[in-house]
Amino acid sequence: MLLVGMLDSPYVRRAAITGALLEVGFEHRSVSVFRHMDAFRAINPLIKAPSLVCDDGTVISESLLIIQHFEDVAGRSLRPIEDTARVRDLSLTGIGIVAADKAVSVEYERKRPEAQRYAPWQERIVTQLHTALDLLDRAAQRGELGSGPELEPADIAAAIAWGFCRFVIPDYVEESRWPALAAQARACEELDVFKAWPIDRE
């Protein structure tokens, strides 16, 4: 299998780290949906990162579905089995994904020409981002987000979202406001699997 996309994408990075933890065999190719559009189109005409090219040539285009496929191949999941823990993990994973989504939106919006910006929309997505980070920080304070040795999907989603925020929009996410989340993410970044899949700084 071939995972395609740049590791500066939180979606690509989350899929890669999850696949590695599940011990699924896959290769990775850094192709940008912006700088290498024609090359990406040749792999997936949707130009969607991440894309997973399966062994039979089938392309899967959404990170959640790529992770589901990795789980199917591995025959297991990183998610807890016990009902209460599993539902909590699903909830916190969703919040981590929202945080990453809104960080991407903030980055896109601030790159727009001034005349094309719509202040109420910008305020809304920043508020959504900060709310998601508030919820993750409280979860980290309660000990509901870990940093190993065994990681759950919520741990990965939260750490990757925080790392992405600090990488692309650090002026919107000061560590002093979310210290527990920042500490959890720092601890995750020290793990070998995170070091093996660092945010792409090219």
Side-chain angles (χ1 to χ4, degrees):
M1 293 185 288
L2 176 66
L3 183 68
V4 184
M6 306 293 288
L7 289 172
D8 60 1
S9 160
Y11 315 109
V12 175
R13 195 176 185 218
R14 186 164 54 86
I17 288 174
T18 302
L21 288 171
L22 288 169
E23 300 180 320
V24 173
F26 67 93
E27 299 177 26
H28 172 246
R29 185 178 302 167
S30 292
V31 184
S32 170
V33 296
F34 300 109
R35 300 194 305 274
H36 316 128
M37 189 178 298
D38 289 341
F40 213 117
R41 184 183 287 111
I43 296 167
N44 182 354
L46 296 176
I47 317 176
K48 169 75 171 174
S51 290
L52 181 73
V53 183
C54 299
D55 292 338
D56 66 357
T58 302
V59 177
I60 303 174
S61 303
E62 169 58 51
S63 59
L64 283 170
L65 299 178
I66 290 170
I67 289 172
Q68 181 178 321
H69 182 63
F70 283 162
E71 292 173 342
D72 292 343
V73 171
R76 64 188 180 95
S77 170
L78 302 178
R79 188 162 291 112
I81 296 174
E82 190 272 325
D83 284 349
T84 300
R86 179 178 55 81
V87 171
R88 181 176 63 239
D89 180 82
L90 288 168
S91 175
L92 291 173
T93 299
I95 295 168
I97 292 171
V98 169
D101 286 346
K102 298 308 169 183
V104 170
S105 295
V106 169
E107 173 68 355
Y108 283 166
E109 286 298 315
R110 73 175 186 170
K111 287 182 175 179
R112 289 180 183 271
E114 189 69 38
Q116 296 179 13
R117 297 178 188 173
Y118 182 53
W121 175 250
Q122 290 179 306
E123 292 171 6
R124 173 176 171 169
I125 57 178
V126 170
T127 297
Q128 289 174 299
L129 168 63
H130 287 175
T131 299
L133 296 178
D134 287 342
L135 292 171
L136 292 174
D137 191 71
R138 289 173 202 156
Q141 291 176 31
R142 294 191 300 265
E144 295 176 354
L145 290 173
S147 53
E150 294 189 5
L151 294 174
E152 297 177 355
D155 305 329
I156 300 166
I160 286 176
W162 177 258
F164 178 72
C165 287
R166 291 295 300 164
F167 180 55
V168 296
I169 51 169
D171 46 327
Y172 286 85
V173 288
E174 297 190 10
E175 291 194 24
S176 59
R177 178 168 169 178
W178 299 282
L181 174 59
Q184 183 264 348
R186 278 196 302 272
C188 284
E189 294 291 351
E190 290 301 313
L191 299 173
D192 289 343
V193 70
F194 272 72
K195 290 181 177 179
W197 299 98
I199 292 178
D200 195 329
R201 296 177 183 273
E202 294 180 2

